[in-house]
Amino acid sequence: KNMAHHGESLALDDLFSKIKQLLAVEGDFYLLMPYKRNEELTGLLDKYEFSLLKKILVRPKTGHAFSRIMLAGQHKGNMPSDPLMEEISIKNESGQYSPGFIQLLKDYYLAF
């Protein structure tokens, strides 16, 4: 957990380099990252000539600050220039999973 949180074993630059190397021309990539790396991710998308399909900002609970960012992207030129932007909260004010979170992860999360 500590290695994942601090990102010392795989630099984002190395990750984007591998995505660039391995991603098919028409392929998509998906990332789930800490929100604090949002600016770094934006710079690397430009550096490696990727465009976003979708960007989802994730809050742990309604009213809290963003904690995660979810990205879907492709090589530049494969899609329209305006990505879909969304915000979701994992839990609502009463501590229940939010409808947006359930919809997004219902096929993968056993709790639903």
Side-chain angles (χ1 to χ4, degrees):
K1 181 178 177 182
N2 194 40
M3 285 175 50
H5 181 70
H6 295 288
E8 295 173 6
S9 62
L10 178 62
L12 278 183
D13 204 319
D14 295 339
L15 177 62
F16 274 82
S17 177
K18 280 296 182 188
I19 292 170
K20 183 79 170 180
Q21 176 187 354
L22 299 172
L23 187 64
V25 174
E26 297 296 326
D28 299 338
F29 68 90
Y30 302 89
L31 295 173
L32 171 63
M33 302 295 296
Y35 180 77
K36 66 183 180 182
R37 300 190 87 174
N38 187 29
E39 289 183 33
E40 184 180 2
L41 290 165
T42 300
L44 289 168
L45 288 166
D46 288 338
K47 177 180 176 180
Y48 287 96
E49 299 179 337
F50 291 124
S51 294
L52 284 178
L53 288 166
K54 190 171 195 176
K55 183 179 199 177
I56 302 173
L57 304 176
V58 183
R59 299 176 192 275
K61 191 172 182 181
T62 303
H64 289 225
F66 296 117
S67 61
R68 301 283 181 267
I69 183 169
M70 300 165 72
L71 304 175
Q74 290 183 335
H75 293 287
K76 273 192 177 169
N78 288 349
M79 70 189 95
S81 59
D82 294 327
L84 296 172
M85 304 292 276
E86 290 183 30
E87 294 181 14
I88 65 167
S89 296
I90 295 172
K91 294 190 175 182
N92 60 24
E93 300 86 5
S94 61
Q96 302 297 315
Y97 288 113
S98 71
F101 183 75
I102 291 170
Q103 181 63 33
L104 184 64
L105 295 175
K106 67 182 178 187
D107 294 336
Y108 309 100
Y109 204 75
L110 298 177
F112 306 134

